[in-house]
Amino acid sequence: MELSPALSAKFEKLQNSYPVKRSALIPMLMYAQDEYGCVSDEMIAEIGRQLDLNNVQIEETLAYYSMLHRRPWGKHHVQICTNVACMLKGGNELLERAKRRLEIGHKETTADGVFSLEEVECIGACTGAPAMQVNYDFYENLTPLKFDRIIEELDAGKHPAPEPVISGALHERHELETPLISRRWGMKDSHKIDVYLMQGGYKALEKALKEMTPESIIEEVKKSNLRGRGGAGFPTGMKWSFVPKDTPKAKYVICNADESEPGTCKDRPLMEMDPHQLIEGMVIAGRAIGSHQGFIYIRGEYRYVLDIVDGAIAEAYERGYLGKNILGSGFDFDLLVHTGAGAYECGEESALMESLEGKRGYPRIKPPFPAVVGLYGCPTIINNVETLSAVPSIIREGGDAYASRGTPKNGGTRMLCVAGHVNRPGIYEVRLGMNMKKFIYDVAGGIPDGKKLKAVIPGGSSCPLLTADEIDIAMDYDSVAKAGSMLGSGGMVIMDEDTCMVDMARRIMHFYAHESCGWCIPCREGTTWLRKTLERFHAGMGCVEDIDMIADLAKNMLGRTFCPLGDAAAMPTISIMKKWRGEFEDHLRGRCPYKSAGALVGSR
Amino acid sequence: MAEQKLIKLKINEREVQVPQGTLVIEATRRMGTEVPSFCYYPGLSLQAACRMCLVEVEKAPKLQTACTLVATEGMIVRTDTEQVRQARKYMLEFLLTNHPLDCPVCDKGGECELQDMVFRYGADSSRFVEEKIHRPEEKWSELVYYDAPRCILCFRCVRVCDEGMDVKALGVGMRGANSVIIPNRQDHLECEECGMCIDICPVGALTSGTYRYKTRPWEMAYVSTVCTHCSNGCKTTLSVRNHEILRSNNRDLSGINGDFLCVKGRFGFDFTKHVERIRQPLVRKGDRLYPVSWEEAALAAATKLKAAYDSGGKDAIGFIGSNRTSNEENYLLQKLARTTFGTNNIDHHRTADYTGLITALGERAGDSLLTMEQLYQSKAVLLVGNDPTTQNPLVGWQIRSGIRHFGTKLFVINANEIKLKRRATQFVKVAAGQEAVVLRWLAHEEGQLAPELVEQLVQLKAGLEAESDVAVVFGAEISGAAIATLVAFGSKLPGKTRYLVLGDYANSRGAADMGVLPDRLPGYAYVGSPHAHTSFEELWSCGPIPPKLGLTAPQMVEAAQAGKLKALYVMGANPLAHFGTLGLGRGKLDLLIVQEMFLTETAQMADIVFPATSAYEKDGTVTNTSGEIQMLRKGAEVMGPRSDFDLLRILSHQLEKLGLGKAFHYKNPAVVFEEIRKAVSGYNVQPAGLLTGGAEATRVEFARNGHVPYDVPVGLIRPAKDTLFTSGTLGRFCTMMESLPEAKA
């Protein structure tokens, strides 16, 4: 088929950007869809021709990703998040309003083709909940009026201004905060290289290249006690040290920017407001393991962020911080941003690599681990945005200095997003080990309207929930683990006393059932079964046997699934069943006795 | 193969020794303990998706998948603990949530792996009360139907299509619980229609267009025999009900092909009940063929043959054997020609030059002929000509499997960009017909070739020289002297070199081995060799065997048209279509007798036609193109036709009555095979292997043949040029294959 010159050029560039051509598949599908509204048969044939793939290879990849579609949506595709943080702030009511306002249902398009509507999973705007995206534009802190105004403007052919930056990132610094990797947030043009350089940017890289050996870089990172900020908390320096030194194969550095854990929206501001910090961290990581190629895998929904990072990469190339012979050191490093296309599972490191190779995001069998056999079968390190963003600070000021901000074995600062029923939802940088209760009540301002706290998701919806009595703990990996949960991805969601925990369990399971890749039986069937049962139960059609069965099914998923997604679905469910069993019993009497959302959007 | 280090581990408190690198699931199976699995399938990539094989491993915090866990020294594994049993039970409960319990009407009921596992490991009740995900069944092709709700997503079909077949026609659509298998053309399949996906499906998700809703598995008898289509000799098990073949597969994974079968092997059996099957003997009266009694036809055949013999002498009669009938039948036909009629006018439609290869190898023939198993395990393969994917599907499968499992290097010399090019280490394109020229360069560095081609050949040579064993596989493009050149090249390679010539049709090799050749007695003994004469005359207790070379099949047809041949006796062949000019008809033949299943062009012109059974309706043996003998077993039975063995016996008795030759007193084909073991070089194999359904490789001893200058005239070797969907004359009567759009493409 005849492609527009722009798309044609884009395709060509993409194909030449990757070591293996097929990697260009998902970005090609995304950009083709952006231009044509959907992926047509002809487009599949054309991409197949360009990438030497047959159409089933393309179709199966396409079908995996929720953002890719074969039929066009409306001109304005309204995507309303109803995941935990948004749900607590009226996301469901907003969705209902949208349905009434647009006179269409989930995944439907208006007759005139102007609007289509979709209920989506967490879009990474938790601190601006309730939120939605219209195409790639974010609109946050929605109220019924704000929503109506946006729709009216769109209908009138105008383009209502999307959020300039994520809500909740720019706030007055609390005295308990320790801004380190977020310290440039809010500065004018903080994403530009000149601002970054003025603030001491790329000095760490210079030090790493000129004064340090790869071994000493890894040593410094080990000393810093930096642990993976994506959720698992694995010591970063140790991960880097697993990469074989003498291998004829290429090595890769991947930045996992697929931030999709419900309640988490910290990587988004780190990239949109300080992309050079990430780039610098990646080049240093490349130097440490002897890699010359990096990738930043950004979730598809964050297109504007991708564009910002892409711009920053171009600047870095221009100034010689990327490319050949960086700063005259003889070290080469190339960096590429790669768009995802809507799949939580691709946040799992091996699934991400499959996805980056242009395939369905199925996780891989481990061992071998990515450090030995990763992207394209080559040694690869893969780290979260926040992890890599901390690297320049560690190199600049030394591992010990960084580590001293945290507690033993938990070095440095932590980005925390706090959303839901708090007075000051936002993204904060604090020392690891800060008291959780203090954080919720002092930094985040406590629970609105004088209500009582009922439950806390400490680090993304995969973590076991904590009751109000369990939060007087230090927020570091080990202490939260001791309390029976996880620090996870730093996505805190706070629930007040009016929250229905059955509904919370239902919504959490809805997410995992939607995002289960379908690879293994227990996760694929277990999450769907639990979703259906919890929906029925919350609707008042449960029976007493269901209560034990829900817990039992979750327990039997735990530890038996292929990848951690099954555990992620089971753990919160098990904790809710255990800690709020009474609320399940209350539902046996009929419809839900709780008011899920406080007085919010739909009702005013 | 290199000695493998053994390691010891403990499974269920029993010590077991396995080679290093063995997966725990294989180790448990080796000691007879079943660890259930759906997604694990030997030979395909590992998935760990079904989680059925979870076992307890000491010191591991969680249950481990036995299918991905490599056994290590001192490992302690338990497969039958409460925790393991409980995990399996739950896994099956999860699996059944969206699986419809339509077992009573499901084709797979009774032989379903899910059914069996639920029976063994499952719960006795279900707690699932939610709505199941439902989707309508889809017809993907005439042969493949997909019922998504039944699919348990083990991805065996996707893997066998991609890894095994290199077709990649199947993928996975959607995700999560909505995941489905998708075909390559959105709502239908366009592929090789091999049906591997159906066969490998553990449940009734993929069902066969020819078999579905026909029967229950326990109503059928299972007869293991050999596919009657190409020359590769895949073993197939016919599922037979009331003497009718309803299905063909190789689920017992026995034989040289494991579970592999191509479209012909799996679906090409419906010719047996084709309406045009000849069911009665026919005799020409005027310009038409009329059904007559067996007595009348047999008497007429013997009388007329005797008359032709009496009037025209020994060489006035020609015999054409078959590349489809059994070894025993071909053996008897040449024996009839040589002993009763005293002529070497016997040949068959040759599709590959077996004589040429045996002759070129000389004394080395015994251990230089490649078996299918050796092909799979070769370090390198040199493929000259042919397109195994379509013409010799098992050869293609073996090559692909070798590449996948052992990293076999494939070097291809071909005039066409055949599909195997994708898997080739090196592909050298030559002009059609120039294969022999290229071989001469390789063997002797002779001939004028383009410099670019020379460059490629130098590289190819270096590649082959680096390997410790090389399988040389070639098609009909190479015959006669060119084979000698190829062998000359192969002999110069430092490693072990073995050869495989690719013919067409199920028993081409057998026909040649049996001496259905005008210049070779059974076992390729030269007809001019006095030594051979003595031994055969002794074995057959007959008069002198004619020492004169007989006519080849094309020569016989030519002689018939020129009036030099009085009578032609044809068994399971269609020579007038293959070698003649159809317009000229039967020429000046006085007598044409045909044993056949259908009224082929030749049969239509015959004076007498005997209805013959197909290979699926008889016992006997056949030899595949790699010289491996296997047993045919009678699966189907149709009313009317007799086996060619019976027909030749009847004829020999009638002839004896008329004073010509000696009647064949063999009770059954097995008795003939006993004689073949003595008569045919290389056929003295141990019967046990054959009787168990295995393949026994022949080891042709060339010593007694002596050295005879050998070449073949142009046009004698005529490959069938069959595709995946054609099978010579037989293929025209396979209705199912004819109906496939791919067959028309």
Side-chain angles (χ1 to χ4, degrees):
Chain A
M1 76 185 281
E2 191 74 26
L3 300 175
S4 70
L7 191 61
S8 192
K10 185 99 197 164
F11 275 14
E12 202 185 318
K13 185 162 176 250
L14 280 167
Q15 286 178 57
N16 296 327
S17 299
Y18 296 90
V20 175
K21 234 172 29 167
R22 184 173 175 157
S23 285
L25 176 58
I26 293 163
M28 280 167 85
L29 290 168
M30 286 286 274
Y31 292 115
Q33 179 173 288
D34 289 348
E35 186 163 322
Y36 292 89
C38 67
V39 182
S40 63
D41 291 351
E42 297 75 41
M43 184 58 76
I44 286 180
E46 176 62 25
I47 293 176
R49 197 183 57 72
Q50 295 199 14
L51 297 182
D52 292 329
L53 296 172
N54 77 16
N55 65 327
V56 78
Q57 291 171 305
I58 298 179
E59 294 256 17
E60 70 169 352
T61 305
L62 190 155
Y64 182 88
Y65 297 93
S66 56
M67 290 178 74
L68 291 169
H69 42 93
R70 300 279 273 116
R71 301 275 163 270
W73 290 129
K75 187 174 161 219
H76 305 296
H77 186 47
V78 179
Q79 303 145 76
I80 296 178
C81 174
T82 61
N83 208 311
V84 286
C86 287
M87 177 179 91
L88 293 172
K89 305 279 265 184
N92 285 324
E93 291 75 7
L94 191 67
L95 178 66
E96 285 314 309
R97 188 175 187 92
K99 284 178 181 170
R100 283 197 308 275
R101 175 72 179 72
L102 300 171
E103 296 179 334
I104 47 174
H106 171 58
K107 289 200 176 181
E108 284 178 2
T109 306
T110 53
D112 58 6
V114 176
F115 289 103
S116 51
L117 182 63
E118 189 179 2
E119 178 185 7
V120 294
E121 297 300 345
C122 184
I123 52 176
C126 315
T127 48
M132 70 172 180
Q133 272 192 289
V134 177
N135 302 337
Y136 290 114
D137 292 331
F138 280 86
Y139 298 98
E140 298 164 0
N141 295 313
L142 294 169
T143 61
L145 284 176
K146 188 171 173 186
F147 174 78
D148 286 352
R149 205 188 62 238
I150 292 165
I151 296 297
E152 272 154 31
E153 284 187 28
L154 288 168
D155 211 8
K158 288 185 236 165
H159 182 216
E163 304 301 332
V165 294
I166 183 171
S167 316
L170 301 181
H171 47 72
E172 227 168 274
R173 293 293 185 175
H174 195 276
E175 56 182 21
L176 290 172
E177 276 197 84
T178 313
L180 179 67
I181 64 171
S182 65
R183 66 185 182 278
R184 279 175 292 267
W185 292 8
M187 289 180 188
K188 189 171 182 301
D189 287 336
S190 64
H191 62 287
K192 296 275 191 198
I193 196 162
D194 288 328
V195 175
Y196 187 63
L197 287 170
M198 229 161 6
Q199 295 288 320
Y202 290 111
K203 284 274 184 286
L205 176 62
E206 202 170 338
K207 182 176 170 190
L209 291 177
K210 294 186 174 161
E211 296 166 29
M212 296 172 82
T213 62
E215 292 73 27
S216 64
I217 297 172
I218 294 178
E219 207 38 54
E220 218 54 52
V221 175
K222 277 185 178 168
K223 260 196 265 171
S224 75
N225 286 334
L226 175 66
R227 292 171 65 169
R229 305 295 196 231
F234 193 83
T236 306
M238 203 191 293
K239 191 188 256 188
W240 292 8
S241 68
F242 292 154
V243 174
K245 306 234 161 7
D246 311 305
T247 167
K249 289 182 180 172
K251 299 176 198 173
Y252 298 105
V253 177
I254 299 177
C255 170
N256 184 345
D258 192 49
E259 177 169 72
S260 317
E261 177 73 22
T264 316
C265 52
K266 63 184 172 67
D267 296 340
R268 189 178 146 198
L270 279 170
M271 289 187 284
E272 68 175 316
M273 288 188 275
D274 209 343
H276 284 286
Q277 177 173 249
L278 172 62
I279 295 168
E280 186 176 9
M282 289 191 73
V283 185
I284 296 170
R287 172 68 170 177
I289 66 156
S291 160
H292 304 289
Q293 174 71 58
F295 298 93
I296 306 176
Y297 184 108
I298 302 184
R299 66 179 301 192
E301 291 85 348
Y302 289 178
R303 172 60 63 81
Y304 83 97
V305 178
L306 184 142
D307 292 338
I308 291 170
V309 176
D310 214 13
I313 288 175
E315 285 181 323
Y317 268 107
E318 213 171 277
R319 306 290 180 91
Y321 296 107
L322 281 173
K324 296 259 171 278
N325 190 18
I326 296 169
L327 302 174
S329 64
F331 179 68
D332 306 336
F333 193 78
D334 287 303
L335 186 57
L336 190 64
V337 276
H338 178 97
T339 177
Y344 168 72
E345 177 60 15
C346 292
E348 195 281 335
E349 56 183 17
S350 64
L352 183 148
M353 288 178 213
E354 284 285 299
S355 178
L356 187 45
E357 290 178 13
K359 302 173 196 159
R360 290 171 69 85
Y362 283 141
R364 294 175 178 172
I365 294 168
K366 293 180 204 171
F369 290 94
V372 184
V373 181
L375 188 67
Y376 311 122
C378 300
T380 304
I381 56 162
I382 174 163
N383 288 116
N384 176 259
V385 176
E386 188 186 340
T387 315
L388 288 164
S389 294
V391 170
S393 301
I394 293 168
I395 297 303
R396 201 182 51 245
E397 60 179 32
D400 291 330
Y402 180 84
S404 70
R405 287 192 184 80
T407 58
K409 291 190 190 161
N410 292 268
T413 58
R414 182 79 226 249
M415 302 302 310
L416 291 174
C417 330
V418 56
H421 297 148
V422 282
N423 278 318
R424 285 196 295 274
I427 306 154
Y428 302 92
E429 186 172 10
V430 298
R431 292 168 186 271
L432 266 166
M434 172 183 249
N435 182 283
M436 188 183 284
K437 194 168 183 178
K438 202 172 170 129
F439 176 77
I440 294 170
Y441 285 96
D442 287 2
V443 181
I447 318 301
D449 306 327
K451 286 188 185 161
K452 281 196 218 131
L453 173 69
K454 184 188 262 185
V456 175
I457 291 174
S461 71
S462 305
C463 307
L465 281 72
L466 299 173
T467 64
D469 299 335
E470 294 172 320
I471 61 165
D472 196 3
I473 52 171
M475 283 195 288
D476 60 53
Y477 295 95
D478 303 320
S479 307
V480 183
K482 222 169 114 192
S485 189
M486 305 184 300
L487 193 55
S489 60
M492 285 179 107
V493 182
I494 313 297
M495 286 150 264
D496 71 17
E497 57 187 313
D498 290 338
T499 309
C500 171
M501 296 311 287
V502 177
D503 198 26
M504 186 50 64
R506 176 201 65 78
R507 188 59 188 84
I508 289 174
M509 195 52 71
H510 181 281
F511 171 72
Y512 291 103
H514 184 265
E515 298 299 337
S516 170
C517 74
W519 183 252
C520 73
I521 295 172
C523 174
R524 179 179 76 225
E525 306 295 343
T527 53
T528 306
W529 184 354
L530 282 166
R531 172 181 65 79
K532 288 175 177 173
T533 302
L534 285 163
E535 275 169 6
R536 174 170 57 79
F537 198 93
H538 182 243
M541 289 178 284
C543 57
V544 70
E545 291 83 6
D546 288 333
I547 301 176
D548 283 335
M549 190 186 77
I550 292 165
D552 188 49
L553 292 179
K555 277 181 201 144
N556 278 290
M557 275 163 57
L558 191 68
R560 292 181 185 167
T561 54
F562 187 100
C563 83
L565 194 144
D567 295 344
M571 287 186 294
T573 312
I574 293 169
S575 71
I576 293 174
M577 290 305 304
K578 198 169 115 198
K579 297 174 185 175
W580 291 278
R581 189 183 168 98
E583 294 198 18
F584 282 80
E585 283 157 4
D586 292 345
H587 279 71
L588 291 171
R589 276 174 242 128
R591 63 186 294 272
C592 175
Y594 295 85
K595 214 160 41 155
S596 262
L600 261 171
V601 275
S603 51
R604 251 176 238 158
Chain B
M1 285 208 153
E3 233 4 63
Q4 272 176 305
K5 201 185 150 205
L6 293 175
I7 53 139
K8 271 188 204 149
L9 71 157
K10 238 184 195 170
I11 299 171
N12 298 342
E13 319 308 329
R14 266 176 64 195
E15 200 159 82
V16 57
Q17 222 177 20
V18 293
Q20 199 164 34
T22 305
L23 294 169
V24 169
I25 197 166
E26 286 295 338
T28 57
R29 286 177 182 186
R30 188 171 292 219
M31 57 171 273
T33 301
E34 191 197 18
V35 170
S37 72
F38 290 113
C39 70
Y40 174 71
Y41 197 88
L44 297 180
S45 61
L46 301 177
Q47 307 272 108
C50 77
R51 320 305 285 176
M52 281 303 296
C53 67
L54 291 172
V55 294
E56 254 180 59
V57 179
E58 210 160 276
K59 291 186 187 134
K62 297 196 289 188
L63 295 178
Q64 304 285 309
T65 47
C67 72
T68 54
L69 191 64
V70 177
T72 53
E73 183 70 45
M75 186 181 258
I76 297 173
V77 180
R78 293 189 185 89
T79 72
D80 199 24
T81 64
E82 188 47 43
Q83 194 190 7
V84 170
R85 277 197 295 272
Q86 193 257 8
R88 288 175 189 167
K89 195 166 108 183
Y90 274 89
M91 226 47 83
L92 288 165
E93 188 184 25
F94 281 135
L95 204 45
L96 289 180
T97 56
N98 280 309
H99 187 89
L101 297 176
D102 61 348
C103 312
V105 293
C106 175
D107 275 340
K108 205 75 177 184
E111 53 182 18
C112 169
E113 293 180 35
L114 179 58
Q115 242 182 7
D116 292 348
M117 283 207 208
V118 173
F119 185 78
R120 269 192 215 181
Y121 308 111
D124 51 7
S125 61
S126 167
R127 298 179 289 173
F128 184 78
V129 294
E130 317 300 336
E131 202 176 330
K132 290 188 184 231
I133 299 172
H134 185 73
R135 278 163 190 275
E137 188 184 44
E138 294 168 29
K139 178 181 178 178
W140 285 350
S141 81
E142 290 302 319
L143 298 175
V144 186
Y145 285 70
Y146 178 61
D147 189 337
R150 286 183 191 157
C151 179
I152 60 167
L153 295 164
C154 65
F155 313 116
R156 283 189 198 174
C157 53
V158 178
R159 282 175 289 160
V160 81
C161 190
D162 171 4
E163 300 166 18
M165 298 303 298
D166 195 20
V167 170
K168 300 182 170 64
L170 297 176
V172 189
M174 314 292 282
R175 76 177 180 212
N178 293 314
S179 301
V180 285
I181 305 300
I182 52 168
N184 60 355
R185 294 284 174 264
Q186 287 185 27
D187 60 348
H188 69 279
L189 268 175
E190 198 179 301
C191 64
E192 296 180 6
E193 299 284 355
C194 65
M196 289 296 289
C197 54
I198 302 170
D199 206 21
I200 208 165
C201 181
V203 294
L206 287 161
T207 52
S208 145
T210 59
Y211 172 75
R212 60 206 310 268
Y213 301 130
K214 284 236 170 76
T215 185
R216 310 301 291 159
W218 55 85
E219 291 175 338
M220 300 187 290
Y222 298 92
V223 183
S224 88
T225 187
V226 182
C227 172
T228 190
H229 291 282
C230 84
S231 68
N232 293 179
C234 291
K235 196 164 154 265
T236 174
T237 302
L238 303 175
S239 306
V240 181
R241 187 185 62 184
N242 297 339
H243 306 296
E244 184 189 352
I245 306 169
L246 294 178
R247 182 173 69 176
S248 159
N249 63 25
N250 204 33
R251 271 332 286 160
D252 64 357
L253 314 183
S254 65
I256 53 175
N257 49 311
D259 54 359
F260 173 75
L261 279 179
C262 73
V263 60
K264 286 184 264 193
R266 205 181 300 280
F267 303 105
F269 53 78
D270 57 348
F271 64 86
T272 52
K273 51 185 180 188
H274 197 280
V275 286
E276 290 175 37
R277 251 334 256 283
I278 314 170
R279 291 178 184 270
Q280 275 171 287
L282 304 170
V283 166
R284 177 167 302 280
K285 290 174 186 163
D287 57 357
R288 284 187 62 189
L289 286 164
Y290 289 92
V292 297
S293 71
W294 278 94
E295 291 78 4
E296 188 182 337
L299 187 63
T303 314
K304 289 187 177 179
L305 277 171
K306 171 101 179 13
Y309 179 75
D310 289 343
S311 66
K314 289 178 180 187
D315 293 326
I317 304 178
F319 292 84
I320 292 181
S322 176
N323 40 34
R324 278 225 160 88
T325 60
S326 70
N327 287 328
E328 291 75 7
E329 290 159 342
N330 274 316
Y331 176 80
L332 287 186
L333 183 73
Q334 65 83 31
K335 191 173 172 184
L336 184 82
R338 289 186 165 120
T339 62
T340 304
F341 291 93
T343 181
N344 279 320
N345 285 348
I346 175 145
D347 199 2
H348 66 286
H349 170 194
R350 291 186 234 177
T351 57
D353 192 2
Y354 296 107
T355 315
L357 179 60
I358 305 280
T359 307
L361 289 172
E363 283 83 23
R364 284 165 299 171
D367 58 357
S368 293
L369 293 171
L370 185 81
T371 64
M372 290 291 174
E373 177 67 20
Q374 287 162 347
L375 171 61
Y376 166 53
Q377 298 195 356
S378 292
K379 296 266 187 299
V381 175
L382 170 64
L383 175 66
V384 188
N386 205 275
D387 179 3
T389 314
T390 59
Q391 297 171 339
N392 291 274
L394 176 62
V395 169
W397 170 268
Q398 297 295 78
I399 293 175
R400 289 193 303 270
S401 302
I403 293 169
R404 245 168 351 108
H405 297 151
F406 309 118
T408 305
K409 294 204 173 79
L410 172 64
F411 299 86
V412 180
I413 299 176
N414 208 301
N416 300 307
E417 310 239 325
I418 57 171
K419 196 179 127 192
L420 275 172
K421 183 184 172 190
R422 281 195 227 163
R423 291 276 166 269
T425 303
Q426 197 191 347
F427 179 86
V428 179
K429 188 164 178 165
V430 296
Q434 294 304 295
E435 293 87 352
V437 180
V438 166
L439 290 181
R440 196 154 65 236
W441 192 94
L442 281 173
H444 311 298
E445 303 206 355
E446 282 172 14
Q448 287 294 313
L449 297 180
E452 309 84 67
L453 185 56
V454 170
E455 204 173 298
Q456 290 181 57
L457 294 177
V458 169
Q459 192 193 335
L460 179 129
K461 217 167 159 175
L464 290 170
E465 278 166 357
E467 299 299 331
S468 60
D469 72 287
V470 177
V472 177
V473 182
F474 60 99
E477 292 88 340
I478 307 298
S479 66
I483 297 184
T485 312
L486 180 59
V487 170
F489 170 61
S491 315
K492 287 181 184 168
L493 293 175
K496 171 93 189 137
T497 309
R498 282 182 282 228
Y499 303 84
L500 171 60
V501 52
L502 302 176
D504 302 308
Y505 304 125
N507 204 25
S508 284
R509 173 68 187 269
D513 285 357
M514 292 306 118
V516 182
L517 295 166
D519 55 346
R520 293 290 192 274
L521 293 166
Y524 302 96
Y526 183 54
V527 291
S529 150
H531 171 72
H533 279 249
T534 323
S535 62
F536 278 106
E537 281 153 17
E538 197 176 302
L539 179 75
W540 291 340
S541 338
C542 63
I545 292 167
K548 201 179 118 193
L549 293 188
L551 298 176
T552 64
Q555 283 168 344
M556 281 189 248
V557 173
E558 202 185 304
Q561 272 154 2
K564 289 180 193 152
L565 198 71
K566 295 281 174 218
L568 187 62
Y569 194 98
V570 178
M571 175 177 82
N574 191 6
L576 297 184
H578 282 129
F579 304 113
T581 315
L582 275 176
L584 294 177
R586 54 187 275 184
K588 294 175 183 149
L589 281 177
D590 289 339
L591 177 64
L592 176 61
I593 303 177
V594 177
Q595 301 178 187
E596 202 28 290
M597 296 161 63
F598 297 100
L599 275 182
T600 61
E601 289 83 349
T602 305
Q604 283 168 28
M605 290 183 247
D607 297 295
I608 302 168
V609 181
F610 289 106
T613 54
S614 74
Y616 291 154
E617 298 148 350
K618 63 170 79 154
D619 291 332
T621 64
V622 287
T623 308
N624 71 356
T625 199
S626 52
E628 293 166 88
I629 314 166
Q630 297 178 88
M631 282 186 77
L632 292 176
R633 285 182 201 270
K634 181 173 178 170
E637 205 157 335
V638 284
M639 199 190 280
R642 301 276 177 96
S643 69
D644 294 285
F645 166 73
D646 271 349
L647 296 174
L648 292 173
R649 274 202 309 176
I650 294 167
L651 181 66
S652 74
H653 280 276
Q654 287 290 7
L655 287 168
E656 191 189 54
K657 257 202 244 171
L658 298 176
L660 196 57
K662 281 192 281 185
F664 292 148
H665 289 284
Y666 306 98
K667 258 191 270 175
N668 54 42
V671 182
V672 183
F673 189 71
E674 274 311 302
E675 186 173 318
I676 291 174
R677 284 181 65 199
K678 293 184 205 120
V680 184
S681 167
Y683 275 67
N684 192 15
V685 296
Q686 290 302 315
L690 295 181
L691 289 167
T692 54
E696 287 291 319
T698 55
R699 288 173 63 90
V700 183
E701 297 301 334
F702 195 73
R704 74 195 221 189
N705 293 349
H707 287 277
V708 181
Y710 179 80
D711 202 359
V712 287
V714 175
L716 182 60
I717 310 290
R718 300 189 190 201
K721 299 213 165 72
D722 274 327
T723 69
L724 271 174
F725 306 102
T726 66
S727 181
T729 311
L730 204 54
R732 308 208 297 249
F733 300 94
C734 292
T735 320
M736 180 46 80
M737 283 197 306
E738 291 270 292
S739 71
L740 298 172
E742 291 95 335
K744 295 181 184 93

